Amino acid sequence: MEYSKNYTAAGEHIDVQGIMDGLYYPFYMEECRHAYIKEVLGFDFVQQAENGVFMVLSEYSIKFIRSLKKDDNFDVTCAVFTDPSGLPKLHFKQSILKNGKIMASALFTGTCIPATGGRPYLPEELKANFTDASVLEIK
């Protein structure tokens, strides 16, 4: 299932060239991804942290295709994929679209770790909410 949220490029995120600074693209993607994780996957970051479970990123890559400008209205999408090697990782494919055109695309990879330290894992209650997710295809 692909999830989407709508945003407007904030003036304070615009650089001297009149385009959105590259550091804010992953910021908007994070906002959307966190909403997706809570609303669709049922993982509440605050509650889980209080229970000793931290969800963390292990890596990400982003491709910038077109620039956003001040007050541009855009959508951020998010979809989850499981790991092709069966590792305890979730992969989130995300895009930023303006008027149906891709402005940026990214792949974020995350996992959970115990707050006290230890090996990465995915809690069973989280796994139950993405049983129909596709396996990430590596190119």
Side-chain angles (χ1 to χ4, degrees), residues 5 10 28 34 38-39 69 72-73 89 119 127:
K5 286 189 73 83
Y28 286 106
H34 282 201
K38 184 174 184 178
E39 294 172 23
K69 297 180 175 136
D72 276 352
N73 188 269
K89 297 179 179 182
R119 300 188 59 79
K127 284 189 207 179

Side-chain angles (χ1 to χ4, degrees), residues 45-127:
F45 283 92
V46 174
Q47 178 186 4
Q48 292 295 330
E50 290 170 356
N51 292 336
V53 180
F54 293 168
M55 183 178 275
V56 296
L57 286 177
S58 57
E59 63 182 289
Y60 73 89
S61 64
I62 188 167
K63 293 178 186 172
F64 299 97
I65 300 161
R66 296 177 182 84
S67 297
L68 290 166
K69 297 180 175 136
K70 183 181 178 200
D71 297 326
D72 276 352
N73 188 269
F74 58 94
D75 295 307
V76 180
T77 65
C78 185
V80 69
F81 294 81
T82 59
D83 191 74
S85 300
L87 295 172
K89 297 179 179 182
L90 291 177
H91 304 279
F92 298 92
K93 283 188 179 182
Q94 294 192 256
S95 295
I96 293 179
L97 301 116
K98 178 184 165 198
N99 298 325
K101 291 185 179 179
I102 297 176
M103 308 301 278
S105 62
L107 179 65
F108 291 83
T109 299
T111 190
C112 293
I113 57 171
T116 56
R119 300 188 59 79
Y121 74 104
L122 296 174
E124 291 304 319
E125 62 272 18
L126 177 60
K127 284 189 207 179

